[in-house]
Amino acid sequence: LAYSGLIQAVRSTKTSNGFIPNFSAGGAKSQDRTEPPLGARVLQEIYKKYKDIWIVELLWDDLADCIDWFFRERILPPEGR
């Protein structure tokens, strides 16, 4: 059940911009709203418990895209730059 939920949250909602939105239902999803990128942490905990490498291989690139998007779009540069 944990695998299924994580796969659905990542693979079926990821946008073309590379992030996992905080809203997705009935084919609609937000294109600019997200939460902190915790999917990678969830993946890490699932792997630590069950040791199934296939789940990491399946979701790694999608979650890396999401983290990249988060740092590119949501982290402000240092003040004065």
Side-chain angles (χ1 to χ4, degrees):
L1 193 56
Y3 289 177
S4 178
L6 184 57
I7 291 167
Q8 286 296 330
V10 173
R11 301 302 292 280
S12 69
T13 65
K14 184 180 166 192
T15 69
S16 60
N17 292 332
F19 77 97
I20 300 165
N22 70 354
F23 168 79
S24 178
K29 58 181 108 174
S30 67
Q31 296 298 313
D32 63 351
R33 307 269 189 278
T34 189
E35 302 299 331
L38 298 177
R41 177 58 188 247
V42 173
L43 179 62
Q44 178 186 28
E45 293 302 314
I46 287 174
Y47 178 76
K48 281 172 39 179
K49 182 168 182 151
Y50 300 109
K51 306 288 191 240
D52 287 328
I53 194 67
W54 68 266
I55 188 85
V56 176
E57 292 168 343
L58 179 69
L59 298 178
W60 182 265
D61 289 339
D62 292 320
L63 291 170
D65 288 347
C66 182
I67 291 169
D68 288 346
W69 179 91
F70 188 83
F71 279 96
R72 186 176 63 249
E73 300 294 329
R74 294 291 189 247
I75 304 296
L76 298 174
E79 199 169 324
R81 289 190 180 177

Coordinates of all heavy atoms in Angstrom, one line a residue:
L1 N 0.8 -1.2 0.0 CA 0.0 0.0 0.0 C 0.9 1.3 0.0 O 0.6 2.2 -0.7 CB -0.9 0.0 1.2 CG -2.1 1.0 1.2 CD1 -2.9 0.9 0.0 CD2 -2.9 0.8 2.5
A2 N 2.0 1.2 0.8 CA 2.9 2.4 0.8 C 3.5 2.6 -0.6 O 3.6 3.8 -1.0 CB 4.0 2.2 1.8
Y3 N 3.9 1.5 -1.2 CA 4.5 1.6 -2.6 C 3.5 2.3 -3.5 O 3.8 3.2 -4.3 CB 4.9 0.3 -3.1 CG 6.1 -0.4 -2.5 CD1 6.5 -1.6 -2.9 CD2 6.8 0.3 -1.5 CE1 7.6 -2.2 -2.3 CE2 7.9 -0.3 -0.9 CZ 8.3 -1.6 -1.3 OH 9.4 -2.2 -0.8
S4 N 2.3 1.7 -3.5 CA 1.2 2.2 -4.5 C 0.9 3.7 -4.2 O 0.9 4.4 -5.2 CB 0.0 1.4 -4.3 OG -1.0 1.8 -5.1
G5 N 0.8 4.1 -3.0 CA 0.5 5.5 -2.7 C 1.6 6.4 -3.2 O 1.4 7.5 -3.8
L6 N 2.9 6.0 -2.9 CA 4.0 6.9 -3.3 C 4.1 6.9 -4.8 O 4.3 8.0 -5.4 CB 5.3 6.4 -2.7 CG 6.5 7.2 -3.0 CD1 6.3 8.7 -2.5 CD2 7.7 6.6 -2.3
I7 N 4.0 5.8 -5.5 CA 4.1 5.8 -7.0 C 3.0 6.6 -7.6 O 3.2 7.4 -8.5 CB 4.0 4.3 -7.5 CG1 5.3 3.5 -7.1 CG2 3.8 4.3 -9.0 CD1 5.1 2.0 -7.3
Q8 N 1.8 6.5 -7.1 CA 0.7 7.3 -7.6 C 0.9 8.8 -7.3 O 0.7 9.7 -8.2 CB -0.7 6.9 -7.0 CG -1.2 5.6 -7.5 CD -1.6 5.7 -8.9 OE1 -1.9 6.7 -9.5 NE2 -1.5 4.6 -9.6
A9 N 1.4 9.2 -6.2 CA 1.6 10.6 -5.8 C 2.7 11.2 -6.7 O 2.6 12.3 -7.1 CB 2.0 10.7 -4.4
V10 N 3.7 10.4 -7.0 CA 4.8 10.9 -7.9 C 4.5 10.8 -9.3 O 4.6 11.8 -10.1 CB 6.1 10.2 -7.5 CG1 7.2 10.6 -8.4 CG2 6.5 10.4 -6.1
R11 N 4.2 9.6 -9.8 CA 4.2 9.4 -11.3 C 2.9 10.0 -11.9 O 2.9 10.4 -13.1 CB 4.2 7.9 -11.6 CG 5.5 7.2 -11.1 CD 6.8 7.7 -11.6 NE 7.1 7.6 -13.0 CZ 7.6 6.5 -13.6 NH1 7.8 5.4 -13.0 NH2 7.9 6.6 -14.9
S12 N 1.8 10.0 -11.2 CA 0.5 10.5 -11.9 C 0.3 12.0 -11.7 O -0.5 12.5 -12.4 CB -0.7 9.7 -11.4 OG -0.9 10.0 -10.0
T13 N 1.1 12.6 -10.8 CA 0.8 14.0 -10.6 C 1.9 14.9 -11.1 O 1.7 16.1 -11.3 CB 0.5 14.4 -9.1 OG1 1.7 14.1 -8.4 CG2 -0.6 13.6 -8.6
K14 N 3.1 14.4 -11.3 CA 4.3 15.2 -11.7 C 3.9 16.0 -13.0 O 3.4 15.5 -13.9 CB 5.5 14.3 -12.0 CG 6.7 15.1 -12.3 CD 7.9 14.2 -12.6 CE 9.0 15.0 -13.2 NZ 10.0 14.0 -13.7
T15 N 4.2 17.3 -12.9 CA 3.9 18.2 -14.0 C 5.1 18.2 -15.1 O 6.2 17.7 -14.8 CB 3.7 19.7 -13.5 OG1 5.0 20.2 -13.1 CG2 2.7 19.7 -12.4
S16 N 4.8 18.8 -16.2 CA 5.8 18.9 -17.2 C 7.0 19.8 -16.8 O 8.1 19.8 -17.3 CB 5.2 19.4 -18.5 OG 4.6 20.7 -18.3
N17 N 6.7 20.7 -15.8 CA 7.8 21.5 -15.3 C 8.7 20.8 -14.3 O 9.7 21.3 -13.9 CB 7.2 22.7 -14.5 CG 6.5 23.7 -15.5 OD1 6.8 23.8 -16.6 ND2 5.5 24.4 -15.0
G18 N 8.3 19.6 -13.9 CA 9.2 18.7 -13.1 C 8.8 18.7 -11.6 O 9.6 18.2 -10.8
F19 N 7.7 19.3 -11.2 CA 7.4 19.2 -9.8 C 6.1 18.4 -9.5 O 5.3 18.2 -10.4 CB 7.3 20.6 -9.2 CG 6.0 21.4 -9.5 CD1 5.0 21.4 -8.6 CD2 5.9 22.1 -10.7 CE1 3.8 22.1 -8.8 CE2 4.7 22.8 -10.9 CZ 3.7 22.8 -10.0
I20 N 6.0 18.1 -8.3 CA 4.8 17.3 -7.8 C 3.9 18.3 -7.1 O 4.3 18.9 -6.1 CB 5.2 16.2 -6.9 CG1 6.1 15.2 -7.6 CG2 4.0 15.5 -6.3 CD1 6.9 14.3 -6.7
P21 N 2.7 18.6 -7.7 CA 1.9 19.6 -7.2 C 1.2 19.2 -5.8 O 1.1 18.1 -5.5 CB 0.8 19.8 -8.3 CG 0.7 18.5 -8.9 CD 2.1 18.0 -8.9
N22 N 0.7 20.3 -5.2 CA 0.0 20.0 -3.9 C -1.5 19.7 -4.2 O -2.3 19.5 -3.2 CB 0.2 21.1 -2.9 CG -0.5 22.4 -3.3 OD1 -1.1 22.5 -4.3 ND2 -0.4 23.3 -2.4
F23 N -2.0 19.8 -5.4 CA -3.4 19.5 -5.8 C -3.4 18.8 -7.1 O -2.8 19.2 -8.1 CB -4.1 20.8 -5.9 CG -5.5 20.6 -6.5 CD1 -6.5 20.1 -5.7 CD2 -5.7 20.9 -7.8 CE1 -7.8 19.9 -6.3 CE2 -7.0 20.7 -8.4 CZ -8.0 20.2 -7.6
S24 N -4.1 17.7 -7.1 CA -4.3 16.9 -8.3 C -5.6 16.1 -8.1 O -5.7 15.3 -7.2 CB -3.1 16.0 -8.6 OG -3.4 15.3 -9.8
A25 N -6.6 16.3 -9.0 CA -7.8 15.6 -8.9 C -8.6 15.7 -10.2 O -8.7 16.7 -10.8 CB -8.7 16.1 -7.7
G26 N -9.1 14.6 -10.6 CA -10.0 14.5 -11.8 C -9.3 15.1 -13.1 O -10.0 15.7 -13.9
G27 N -8.0 14.9 -13.2 CA -7.3 15.3 -14.3 C -6.8 16.7 -14.2 O -5.9 17.2 -15.0
A28 N -7.2 17.5 -13.2 CA -6.7 18.8 -13.0 C -5.6 18.8 -11.9 O -5.7 18.0 -11.0 CB -7.8 19.8 -12.5
K29 N -4.6 19.7 -12.1 CA -3.6 19.8 -11.1 C -3.0 21.2 -11.1 O -3.0 21.9 -12.1 CB -2.5 18.8 -11.3 CG -1.8 18.8 -12.6 CD -0.7 17.7 -12.8 CE -1.1 16.7 -13.7 NZ -0.1 15.7 -14.0
S30 N -2.6 21.6 -10.0 CA -2.0 23.0 -9.9 C -0.7 23.0 -10.7 O 0.0 22.0 -10.8 CB -1.7 23.4 -8.4 OG -0.7 22.6 -7.8
Q31 N -0.4 24.1 -11.3 CA 0.8 24.2 -12.1 C 1.9 25.1 -11.4 O 2.9 25.3 -12.0 CB 0.4 24.8 -13.5 CG -0.4 24.0 -14.3 CD 0.2 22.6 -14.6 OE1 1.4 22.6 -15.1 NE2 -0.5 21.5 -14.5
D32 N 1.5 25.6 -10.2 CA 2.5 26.5 -9.6 C 2.4 26.3 -8.0 O 3.0 27.2 -7.3 CB 2.3 27.9 -10.0 CG 0.9 28.4 -9.6 OD1 0.1 27.6 -9.1 OD2 0.7 29.7 -9.7
R33 N 1.8 25.4 -7.5 CA 1.7 25.2 -6.1 C 2.3 23.8 -5.7 O 1.9 22.8 -6.2 CB 0.2 25.2 -5.6 CG -0.6 26.4 -6.1 CD -0.5 27.5 -5.1 NE -1.4 28.6 -5.4 CZ -1.2 29.6 -6.3 NH1 -0.1 29.6 -7.0 NH2 -2.0 30.5 -6.5
T34 N 3.1 23.9 -4.7 CA 3.7 22.7 -4.2 C 4.0 22.8 -2.7 O 3.9 23.9 -2.1 CB 5.0 22.3 -5.0 OG1 5.4 21.0 -4.6 CG2 6.1 23.3 -4.7
E35 N 4.4 21.7 -2.1 CA 4.8 21.7 -0.7 C 6.3 21.4 -0.7 O 6.8 21.1 -1.7 CB 4.0 20.6 0.1 CG 2.5 20.8 0.0 CD 2.0 22.1 0.6 OE1 2.6 22.6 1.5 OE2 0.9 22.6 0.2
P36 N 6.9 21.5 0.5 CA 8.3 21.1 0.5 C 8.5 19.7 -0.1 O 7.6 18.8 0.1 CB 8.6 21.1 2.0 CG 7.7 22.1 2.6 CD 6.4 21.9 1.8
P37 N 9.6 19.4 -0.7 CA 9.8 18.2 -1.5 C 10.1 17.0 -0.5 O 11.3 16.6 -0.3 CB 10.9 18.5 -2.4 CG 11.7 19.6 -1.7 CD 10.7 20.4 -1.0
L38 N 9.1 16.4 0.1 CA 9.3 15.4 1.1 C 9.2 14.0 0.4 O 9.5 13.0 1.1 CB 8.3 15.5 2.2 CG 8.3 16.8 3.0 CD1 7.2 16.8 4.0 CD2 9.6 16.9 3.7
G39 N 8.9 13.9 -0.8 CA 8.8 12.6 -1.5 C 10.1 11.7 -1.4 O 10.0 10.5 -1.2
A40 N 11.2 12.4 -1.5 CA 12.5 11.7 -1.5 C 12.7 11.1 0.0 O 13.2 10.0 0.1 CB 13.6 12.6 -1.9
R41 N 12.3 11.9 1.0 CA 12.4 11.4 2.3 C 11.5 10.2 2.6 O 11.9 9.2 3.2 CB 12.1 12.5 3.3 CG 12.1 12.1 4.8 CD 13.5 11.5 5.1 NE 13.5 10.9 6.4 CZ 14.2 11.4 7.5 NH1 14.9 12.5 7.3 NH2 14.1 10.8 8.6
V42 N 10.3 10.2 2.0 CA 9.4 9.1 2.1 C 10.0 7.9 1.4 O 9.9 6.8 2.0 CB 8.0 9.4 1.5 CG1 7.1 8.2 1.5 CG2 7.3 10.5 2.3
L43 N 10.5 8.1 0.2 CA 11.2 7.0 -0.5 C 12.3 6.4 0.3 O 12.5 5.2 0.4 CB 11.7 7.5 -1.8 CG 12.4 6.5 -2.7 CD1 11.5 5.3 -3.1 CD2 13.0 7.2 -3.9
Q44 N 13.1 7.2 1.0 CA 14.2 6.8 1.8 C 13.7 5.9 2.9 O 14.3 4.8 3.2 CB 15.0 8.0 2.3 CG 16.1 7.6 3.3 CD 16.8 8.8 3.9 OE1 16.2 9.8 4.1 NE2 18.1 8.6 4.2
E45 N 12.7 6.3 3.6 CA 12.1 5.6 4.7 C 11.5 4.2 4.3 O 11.7 3.2 4.9 CB 11.1 6.4 5.5 CG 11.7 7.6 6.2 CD 12.8 7.2 7.2 OE1 12.6 6.2 8.0 OE2 13.9 7.9 7.2
I46 N 10.9 4.2 3.1 CA 10.3 3.0 2.6 C 11.5 2.0 2.2 O 11.4 0.8 2.6 CB 9.4 3.2 1.4 CG1 8.1 3.8 1.9 CG2 9.2 2.0 0.6 CD1 7.2 4.3 0.7
Y47 N 12.5 2.6 1.6 CA 13.6 1.7 1.3 C 14.3 1.2 2.5 O 14.7 0.0 2.6 CB 14.7 2.5 0.4 CG 15.8 1.6 0.1 CD1 15.7 0.6 -0.8 CD2 17.0 1.7 0.8 CE1 16.8 -0.3 -1.1 CE2 18.1 0.9 0.5 CZ 18.0 -0.1 -0.4 OH 19.0 -1.0 -0.6
K48 N 14.5 2.0 3.5 CA 15.2 1.5 4.8 C 14.4 0.4 5.4 O 15.0 -0.5 5.9 CB 15.3 2.7 5.7 CG 16.5 3.6 5.4 CD 16.6 4.9 6.3 CE 16.2 4.8 7.7 NZ 16.3 6.1 8.4
K49 N 13.1 0.4 5.3 CA 12.3 -0.6 5.9 C 12.2 -1.9 5.1 O 12.4 -3.0 5.7 CB 10.9 -0.1 6.2 CG 10.0 -1.1 6.9 CD 8.7 -0.5 7.3 CE 7.9 -1.6 8.1 NZ 7.1 -1.1 9.1
Y50 N 12.0 -1.8 3.8 CA 11.8 -2.9 3.0 C 13.0 -3.4 2.1 O 12.9 -4.5 1.5 CB 10.5 -2.7 2.1 CG 9.3 -2.5 2.9 CD1 8.7 -1.2 3.0 CD2 8.8 -3.5 3.7 CE1 7.6 -1.0 3.8 CE2 7.6 -3.3 4.5 CZ 7.1 -2.0 4.5 OH 6.0 -1.8 5.3
K51 N 13.9 -2.5 1.8 CA 15.1 -2.8 1.1 C 14.9 -3.2 -0.4 O 15.6 -4.0 -1.0 CB 16.0 -3.9 1.7 CG 16.3 -3.6 3.2 CD 17.4 -2.5 3.3 CE 17.9 -2.5 4.7 NZ 17.7 -1.2 5.3
D52 N 13.8 -2.7 -1.0 CA 13.5 -3.0 -2.4 C 14.0 -1.9 -3.3 O 13.5 -0.8 -3.4 CB 12.0 -3.2 -2.6 CG 11.4 -4.4 -2.0 OD1 12.1 -5.5 -2.0 OD2 10.3 -4.4 -1.6
I53 N 15.2 -2.2 -4.0 CA 15.8 -1.2 -4.8 C 15.0 -0.8 -6.0 O 15.1 0.4 -6.5 CB 17.2 -1.7 -5.2 CG1 18.1 -0.5 -5.8 CG2 17.1 -2.8 -6.2 CD1 18.4 0.5 -4.8
W54 N 14.1 -1.6 -6.5 CA 13.3 -1.3 -7.7 C 12.5 0.0 -7.5 O 12.3 0.8 -8.4 CB 12.4 -2.4 -8.1 CG 11.3 -2.7 -7.2 CD1 11.3 -3.6 -6.1 CD2 10.0 -2.1 -7.1 NE1 10.1 -3.6 -5.5 CE2 9.3 -2.7 -6.1 CE3 9.4 -1.1 -7.9 CZ2 8.0 -2.3 -5.8 CZ3 8.1 -0.8 -7.6 CH2 7.4 -1.4 -6.6
I55 N 12.0 0.2 -6.2 CA 11.2 1.4 -6.0 C 12.1 2.7 -6.1 O 11.6 3.7 -6.6 CB 10.4 1.3 -4.7 CG1 9.4 2.5 -4.5 CG2 11.3 1.3 -3.5 CD1 8.1 2.3 -5.1
V56 N 13.3 2.6 -5.6 CA 14.2 3.7 -5.8 C 14.5 4.0 -7.2 O 14.5 5.1 -7.7 CB 15.5 3.4 -5.0 CG1 16.5 4.6 -5.2 CG2 15.2 3.2 -3.5
E57 N 14.8 2.9 -8.0 CA 15.1 3.1 -9.4 C 13.9 3.7 -10.2 O 14.1 4.4 -11.1 CB 15.5 1.7 -10.0 CG 16.9 1.2 -9.4 CD 17.2 -0.2 -9.8 OE1 16.2 -1.0 -10.1 OE2 18.3 -0.6 -9.7
L58 N 12.7 3.3 -9.8 CA 11.5 3.8 -10.4 C 11.3 5.2 -10.2 O 10.9 6.0 -11.1 CB 10.3 3.0 -10.0 CG 9.0 3.4 -10.6 CD1 8.9 3.0 -12.0 CD2 7.8 2.7 -9.8
L59 N 11.5 5.7 -9.0 CA 11.1 7.1 -8.6 C 12.2 8.1 -8.5 O 12.0 9.3 -8.4 CB 10.3 7.1 -7.3 CG 9.0 6.2 -7.4 CD1 8.4 6.2 -6.0 CD2 8.1 6.8 -8.4
W60 N 13.5 7.6 -8.5 CA 14.6 8.5 -8.3 C 14.6 9.7 -9.2 O 14.7 10.9 -8.7 CB 15.9 7.7 -8.4 CG 17.1 8.6 -8.1 CD1 17.9 9.2 -9.0 CD2 17.6 8.9 -6.8 NE1 18.9 9.9 -8.3 CE2 18.8 9.7 -7.0 CE3 17.3 8.5 -5.5 CZ2 19.5 10.1 -5.9 CZ3 18.1 8.9 -4.5 CH2 19.1 9.8 -4.7
D61 N 14.5 9.5 -10.5 CA 14.6 10.7 -11.4 C 13.5 11.7 -11.2 O 13.7 12.9 -11.3 CB 14.7 10.2 -12.9 CG 16.0 9.5 -13.2 OD1 17.0 9.7 -12.5 OD2 16.0 8.7 -14.2
D62 N 12.3 11.1 -11.0 CA 11.1 12.0 -10.8 C 11.3 12.9 -9.6 O 11.0 14.1 -9.6 CB 9.8 11.2 -10.7 CG 9.5 10.6 -12.1 OD1 9.6 11.2 -13.1 OD2 9.0 9.4 -12.0
L63 N 11.7 12.3 -8.5 CA 11.9 13.0 -7.3 C 13.1 14.0 -7.4 O 13.0 15.1 -6.8 CB 12.1 12.0 -6.1 CG 10.8 11.3 -5.8 CD1 11.1 10.1 -4.8 CD2 9.7 12.2 -5.3
A64 N 14.1 13.6 -8.1 CA 15.3 14.6 -8.3 C 14.8 15.8 -9.1 O 15.2 16.9 -8.8 CB 16.4 13.9 -9.0
D65 N 13.9 15.5 -10.1 CA 13.4 16.7 -10.9 C 12.6 17.6 -10.0 O 12.7 18.8 -10.1 CB 12.4 16.2 -12.0 CG 13.2 15.5 -13.1 OD1 14.4 15.6 -13.2 OD2 12.4 14.8 -13.9
C66 N 11.8 17.0 -9.1 CA 11.0 17.8 -8.1 C 11.9 18.7 -7.2 O 11.6 19.8 -7.0 CB 10.1 16.9 -7.3 SG 9.0 17.8 -6.2
I67 N 12.9 18.1 -6.7 CA 13.8 18.8 -5.8 C 14.6 19.9 -6.6 O 14.7 21.1 -6.1 CB 14.8 17.9 -5.1 CG1 14.1 17.0 -4.1 CG2 16.0 18.7 -4.5 CD1 14.9 15.8 -3.6
D68 N 15.0 19.6 -7.8 CA 15.6 20.6 -8.7 C 14.6 21.8 -8.9 O 15.0 23.0 -8.8 CB 16.1 20.1 -10.0 CG 17.3 19.1 -9.9 OD1 17.9 19.1 -8.8 OD2 17.5 18.4 -10.9
W69 N 13.4 21.5 -9.2 CA 12.4 22.5 -9.5 C 12.2 23.4 -8.2 O 12.2 24.6 -8.3 CB 11.0 21.9 -9.9 CG 10.0 22.9 -10.1 CD1 9.7 23.5 -11.3 CD2 9.1 23.5 -9.1 NE1 8.7 24.5 -11.1 CE2 8.3 24.4 -9.8 CE3 8.9 23.3 -7.8 CZ2 7.3 25.2 -9.1 CZ3 8.0 24.0 -7.1 CH2 7.2 25.0 -7.8
F70 N 12.1 22.7 -7.1 CA 11.9 23.4 -5.8 C 13.0 24.4 -5.5 O 12.8 25.6 -5.2 CB 11.8 22.4 -4.7 CG 11.4 23.0 -3.4 CD1 10.1 23.2 -3.1 CD2 12.4 23.4 -2.4 CE1 9.7 23.8 -1.9 CE2 12.0 23.9 -1.2 CZ 10.6 24.2 -0.9
F71 N 14.3 24.0 -5.7 CA 15.4 24.9 -5.5 C 15.5 26.0 -6.5 O 15.8 27.2 -6.2 CB 16.7 24.2 -5.3 CG 16.9 23.6 -4.0 CD1 16.5 22.2 -3.7 CD2 17.4 24.3 -2.9 CE1 16.7 21.7 -2.5 CE2 17.5 23.8 -1.7 CZ 17.2 22.5 -1.4
R72 N 15.1 25.7 -7.7 CA 15.2 26.7 -8.8 C 14.1 27.7 -8.7 O 14.3 28.9 -8.9 CB 15.1 26.0 -10.2 CG 15.2 26.8 -11.4 CD 15.2 26.0 -12.7 NE 13.9 25.4 -12.9 CZ 13.7 24.0 -12.8 NH1 14.7 23.2 -12.6 NH2 12.5 23.5 -13.1
E73 N 12.9 27.3 -8.3 CA 11.7 28.2 -8.3 C 11.3 28.7 -6.9 O 10.5 29.7 -6.9 CB 10.5 27.4 -8.9 CG 10.7 27.0 -10.3 CD 10.9 28.1 -11.3 OE1 10.3 29.2 -11.1 OE2 11.6 28.0 -12.3
R74 N 11.7 28.1 -5.9 CA 11.1 28.4 -4.5 C 12.2 28.9 -3.5 O 11.8 29.5 -2.5 CB 10.4 27.2 -3.9 CG 9.1 26.9 -4.7 CD 8.1 27.9 -4.5 NE 6.8 27.5 -5.0 CZ 6.2 28.0 -6.0 NH1 6.8 29.0 -6.7 NH2 5.0 27.6 -6.4
I75 N 13.4 28.8 -3.8 CA 14.5 29.3 -2.9 C 14.9 30.6 -3.4 O 15.4 30.8 -4.6 CB 15.6 28.3 -2.8 CG1 15.1 26.9 -2.4 CG2 16.7 28.8 -1.9 CD1 14.5 26.8 -1.1
L76 N 14.9 31.6 -2.6 CA 15.3 33.0 -2.9 C 16.8 33.1 -2.9 O 17.5 32.5 -2.0 CB 14.7 34.0 -2.0 CG 13.2 34.1 -2.0 CD1 12.7 35.0 -0.9 CD2 12.7 34.5 -3.4
P77 N 17.4 33.9 -3.8 CA 18.8 34.1 -3.7 C 19.2 34.9 -2.5 O 18.3 35.6 -1.9 CB 19.1 34.9 -5.0 CG 17.8 35.5 -5.4 CD 16.8 34.6 -4.8
P78 N 20.4 34.9 -2.1 CA 20.8 35.8 -0.9 C 20.5 37.2 -1.2 O 20.5 37.7 -2.3 CB 22.3 35.6 -0.8 CG 22.6 34.3 -1.5 CD 21.5 34.2 -2.6
E79 N 20.1 37.9 -0.1 CA 19.7 39.3 -0.3 C 20.8 40.2 -0.9 O 22.0 40.0 -0.5 CB 19.3 39.9 1.1 CG 18.5 41.1 1.0 CD 17.9 41.5 2.3 OE1 17.6 40.7 3.1 OE2 17.8 42.8 2.6
G80 N 20.5 41.0 -1.8 CA 21.5 41.9 -2.4 C 22.1 41.3 -3.7 O 22.9 41.9 -4.3
R81 N 21.6 40.2 -4.1 CA 22.1 39.6 -5.4 C 21.1 39.6 -6.5 O 20.0 39.6 -6.4 CB 22.6 38.2 -5.2 CG 23.8 38.1 -4.4 CD 24.3 36.7 -4.4 NE 25.5 36.7 -3.6 CZ 26.2 35.7 -3.3 NH1 25.9 34.5 -3.8 NH2 27.3 35.7 -2.6

